[in-house]
Amino acid sequence: AQTVTQSQPEMSVQEAETVTLSCTYDTSESDYYLFWYKQPPSRQMILVIRQEAYKQQNATENRFSVNFQKAAKSFSLKISDSQLGDAAMYFCAHYGGATNKLIFGTGTLLAVQP
Amino acid sequence: GAVVSQHPSRVICKSGTSVKIECRSLDFQATTMFWYRQFPKQSLMLMATSNEGSKATYEQGVEKDKFLINHASLTLSTLTVTSAHPEDSSFYICSARGQGRWEQYFGPGTRLTVT
């Protein structure tokens, strides 16, 4: 079975600083995707970034980047130049074609201090 | 980007009654829709997966007779909570995916309160 683990229930960062959110996963699939989703107080799920497992290059989206370590089954999210609007719950998720479903981690609540 | 709506956004019902939640894909055909449940400060738990025109596949532990899912068209799926009880109070989120696509698009969620 696929599992996703986020070991940091809460994190805090100063505005304009950089923060890294951790995620590890376990999977039996060879072809899969990994995602980071943001859930602000509105509760709307927003896709932040995705990584295809077959790609060695780490994905980046503006201030957001990942450190994908396939052998270690690690998938961390780095947020650079943190902004107040980045404050939210962040979920790491795994999707595999064989299971056809998203498995979410328990989430990390990020606070951004002005 | 693809848009998914949910209706209602909030609903309060009395214990023992049934309530229906709608999930619509507004600008694409959703061959697969997913229903999640989220308790306060917790993660999203998949309840069921539905493919258009087929019976839903429920996750282990989810009562299919209590949570009725219908995906009768390529743009609409409904979740009916039958004989609701206070423990069914939660935040319900749907997502939708198009044919041959991997990305799921999430609705804004429905907060259900059973009194």
Side-chain angles (χ1 to χ4, degrees):
Chain A
Q2 280 65 247
T3 59
V4 178
T5 302
Q6 293 179 251
S7 59
Q8 305 156 317
E10 297 183 13
M11 291 282 284
S12 182
V13 64
Q14 291 291 130
E15 197 175 3
E17 296 295 308
T18 295
V19 64
T20 299
L21 308 184
S22 302
C23 173
T24 58
Y25 64 95
D26 195 14
T27 184
S28 57
E29 303 202 41
S30 57
D31 184 20
Y32 56 91
Y33 295 86
L34 296 167
F35 307 90
W36 279 98
Y37 283 91
K38 171 184 177 181
Q39 189 180 42
S42 68
R43 308 289 290 271
Q44 173 72 57
M45 295 291 284
I46 301 167
L47 177 63
V48 175
I49 199 166
R50 77 169 190 268
Q51 174 81 43
E52 292 91 334
Y54 65 86
K55 290 187 177 180
Q56 292 186 337
Q57 187 172 7
N58 289 326
T60 61
E61 287 288 343
N62 301 313
R63 297 183 295 107
F64 299 87
S65 62
V66 298
N67 183 2
F68 175 45
Q69 301 291 325
K70 191 172 183 179
K73 296 184 178 176
S74 171
F75 183 62
S76 61
L77 174 70
K78 185 171 80 171
I79 306 174
S80 304
D81 186 25
S82 297
Q83 300 175 0
L84 295 177
D86 295 333
M89 181 71 87
Y90 286 82
F91 292 101
C92 178
H94 168 287
Y95 172 83
T99 56
N100 192 35
K101 54 189 177 186
L102 270 175
I103 304 297
F104 288 91
T106 50
T108 296
L109 181 62
L110 178 66
V112 181
Q113 307 300 329
Chain B
V3 179
V4 175
S5 70
Q6 276 184 247
H7 178 80
S9 57
R10 292 174 181 264
V11 58
I12 301 172
C13 69
K14 292 187 181 299
S15 186
T17 62
S18 296
V19 61
K20 179 184 287 187
I21 302 170
E22 292 186 348
C23 177
R24 293 182 184 272
S25 57
L26 300 185
D27 51 4
F28 70 102
Q29 293 186 326
T31 51
T32 305
M33 286 186 167
F34 303 85
W35 287 94
Y36 298 86
R37 183 173 182 176
Q38 186 179 31
F39 289 108
K41 298 185 179 182
Q42 293 190 23
S43 187
L44 281 73
M45 299 301 295
L46 180 65
M47 299 175 66
T49 302
S50 71
N51 293 299
E52 186 265 337
S54 302
K55 287 186 177 181
T57 302
Y58 289 81
E59 294 299 302
Q60 191 172 7
V62 176
E63 300 176 60
K64 60 180 67 176
D65 293 331
K66 181 168 191 60
F67 299 100
L68 301 179
I69 293 171
N70 184 281
H71 189 172
S73 79
L74 286 171
T75 59
L76 174 65
S77 177
T78 59
L79 167 66
T80 301
V81 183
T82 63
S83 186
H85 288 97
E87 56 265 30
D88 298 325
S89 298
S90 189
F91 194 68
Y92 293 87
I93 303 174
C94 75
S95 69
R97 190 177 70 197
Q99 176 71 37
R101 307 298 299 273
W102 55 265
E103 184 168 0
Q104 295 182 27
Y105 299 95
F106 286 85
T110 296
R111 182 178 301 280
L112 169 64
T113 303
V114 184
T115 61

